Amino acid sequence: MVIAMGLRLIVLRHGETDWNREGRYQGCIDTRLSREGHVQSAAAARALAQRRLAAVYSSPLARARETADLIAAPHGLTVSEDPAFAEICHGLWEGLTVEQVRSEFPDLYAAWQERPHTVTMPEGESLAGVSERVFNRLNRLRADHDTETVCLVTHGSPLRLLLL
């Protein structure tokens, strides 16, 4: 898929959470930033304070929203939450550590590591589903903010899909 854009998009992953440090799958569980995550998010806000941002968009999950709020504040902007930019739903893996998933779902975990595009999480999502919602919304952002600079605060899976 080729997308020509006049939109300038700054994409950021949310700051650290305790679960990131513990190696837990968060997915759609609404975890908050850790103390270090607040420090990271404040640093991102300072780095972007001199940029002219037309809008700040965020996943509705607290860890992304907290990061986006810090970025939007110096610009006097209100964050626009959008569920299209939420993290992949890891289903039954959510709350488990990588080691627990590797032990309880060995074949699926191996497939996720080697061929993630072929995996649908048990009671969760596939990368194809996440890709569809992210790129559909990105096309609307492009139309709404052509020639403007927008900051998007999201999660690992949507970011990887955008970068690919």
Side-chain angles (χ1 to χ4, degrees):
M1 169 188 296
V2 176
I3 299 176
M5 285 193 267
L7 166 68
R8 288 175 302 281
L9 186 64
I10 299 170
V11 292
L12 297 172
R13 184 173 180 258
H14 60 80
E16 179 195 72
T17 69
D18 289 335
W19 280 23
N20 291 135
R21 199 174 32 246
E22 295 168 10
R24 291 189 184 280
Y25 285 89
Q26 295 173 100
C28 294
I29 292 179
D30 205 11
T31 56
R32 302 187 69 84
L33 293 177
S34 65
R35 183 174 297 145
E36 179 62 22
H38 280 284
V39 170
Q40 294 166 345
S41 299
R46 285 190 304 278
L48 293 174
Q50 300 306 313
R51 298 290 300 259
R52 174 178 266 155
L53 299 179
V56 177
Y57 286 83
S58 172
S59 155
L61 296 171
R63 56 195 184 269
R65 178 58 195 255
E66 291 172 22
T67 300
D69 284 339
L70 289 169
I71 291 166
H75 303 277
L77 295 171
T78 300
V79 174
S80 298
E81 288 185 8
D82 197 312
F85 297 121
E87 178 60 293
I88 189 171
C89 179
H90 288 290
L92 296 179
W93 293 11
E94 292 184 1
L96 301 179
T97 64
V98 171
E99 286 304 316
Q100 288 170 320
V101 169
R102 188 179 300 159
S103 173
E104 293 178 35
F105 304 90
D107 294 338
L108 196 58
Y109 178 80
W112 180 244
Q113 296 304 303
E114 298 165 13
R115 303 173 311 283
H117 60 285
T118 67
V119 174
T120 298
M121 300 292 175
E123 297 184 24
E125 282 185 285
S126 68
L127 284 176
V130 176
S131 181
E132 183 176 347
R133 65 177 157 84
V134 166
F135 282 99
N136 284 341
R137 186 59 180 109
L138 181 62
N139 284 328
R140 291 196 319 266
L141 275 183
R142 183 174 49 105
D144 293 345
H145 296 284
D146 192 35
T147 74
E148 296 177 324
T149 300
V150 170
C151 181
L152 167 61
V153 182
T154 186
H155 307 271
S157 295
L159 277 173
R160 286 178 189 95
L161 291 165
L162 286 167
L163 293 173
L164 288 173

